[in-house]
Amino acid sequence: MPSQPQCSMNMLWNTQIEDTCIVFRSWHISSTTAFVFSCLVVVGLGVLYEYLRVAQREVDRRIAARLSAQGKGKAAAGRAGGSVSGRDSPEIDSEEAGLLTGSLVVKGYNGTQLPLTARITRASLYGAQVFLSFFLMLVFMTYNAYLILATVVGAALGHFVFSSQMDIDAVLAGGGDSKGMACH
């Protein structure tokens, strides 16, 4: 009786094509064509991950703009006159104030409460990013050189396509988006 094809699980760098399983036993590669198609799917997942990162930033910008237009947020409080804390003296960052006075200072402004729909949207996008990043990590952990290359090519291609603009001032101020292909 012929034996059934088995998933090969390598814990070392490899270039195996047939009998490679990607994440699930059901994603069993049995031919070179299936392997090439699977690599293209992994590239697509890498592009999707980068799209989700950009989409999250865009959703955050839209939510912030909508809330700011409604007169909410730190900037709106500053426009209303006076300081965020309501004092006439200049605002001092809590870390700086703690260094100057020797006491712990708690900022009076902790952010703006988000509407439920905005929280659900942000949480859904974040959850999708986390799932996809861990999934790509599992693909990477097959230690298959071709699948690793497909993951990196997908991330690079997605970054090229979706990150064509840069906020120069934010980068120079140290506040640019430095989160790369982290798990989450």
Side-chain angles (χ1 to χ4, degrees):
M1 172 163 65
S3 64
Q4 293 287 339
Q6 295 284 326
C7 287
S8 175
M9 187 61 151
N10 292 304
M11 296 305 291
L12 299 173
W13 184 264
N14 69 85
T15 56
Q16 181 176 340
I17 293 175
E18 292 184 17
D19 286 334
T20 297
C21 287
I22 303 174
V23 182
F24 306 108
R25 196 177 303 258
S26 59
W27 194 351
H28 187 138
I29 308 301
S30 56
S31 68
T32 303
T33 303
F35 191 80
V36 168
F37 179 73
S38 295
C39 284
L40 291 174
V41 168
V42 171
V43 167
L45 291 174
V47 170
L48 178 61
Y49 176 80
E50 290 297 318
Y51 168 76
L52 287 174
R53 289 181 63 228
V54 170
Q56 177 76 54
R57 287 192 302 265
E58 184 58 32
V59 164
D60 285 348
R61 275 190 215 103
R62 287 180 186 170
I63 292 170
R66 190 175 332 121
L67 291 173
S68 181
Q70 294 171 359
K72 298 178 181 175
K74 198 173 190 178
R79 282 194 306 264
S83 65
V84 174
S85 64
R87 297 179 302 170
D88 290 333
S89 61
E91 294 294 321
I92 299 175
D93 183 71
S94 63
E95 183 178 339
E96 183 181 336
L99 290 173
L100 294 175
T101 64
S103 64
L104 179 63
V105 176
V106 179
K107 284 186 179 183
Y109 182 77
N110 291 326
T112 301
Q113 182 67 34
L114 297 176
L116 181 62
T117 54
R119 291 174 62 197
I120 290 171
T121 302
R122 292 180 79 236
S124 298
L125 280 171
Y126 181 75
Q129 283 180 53
V130 169
F131 174 81
L132 197 50
S133 66
F134 280 121
F135 188 86
L136 289 170
M137 177 192 65
L138 291 174
V139 170
F140 210 92
M141 289 178 61
T142 63
Y143 297 104
N144 185 293
Y146 303 119
L147 293 173
I148 289 171
L149 182 63
T151 303
V152 172
V153 166
L157 184 61
H159 188 76
F160 177 78
V161 170
F162 298 114
S163 297
S164 61
Q165 297 177 353
M166 175 191 295
D167 184 347
I168 296 169
D169 296 329
V171 170
L172 292 174
D177 181 30
S178 62
K179 192 171 191 178
M181 189 74 171
C183 289
H184 68 280

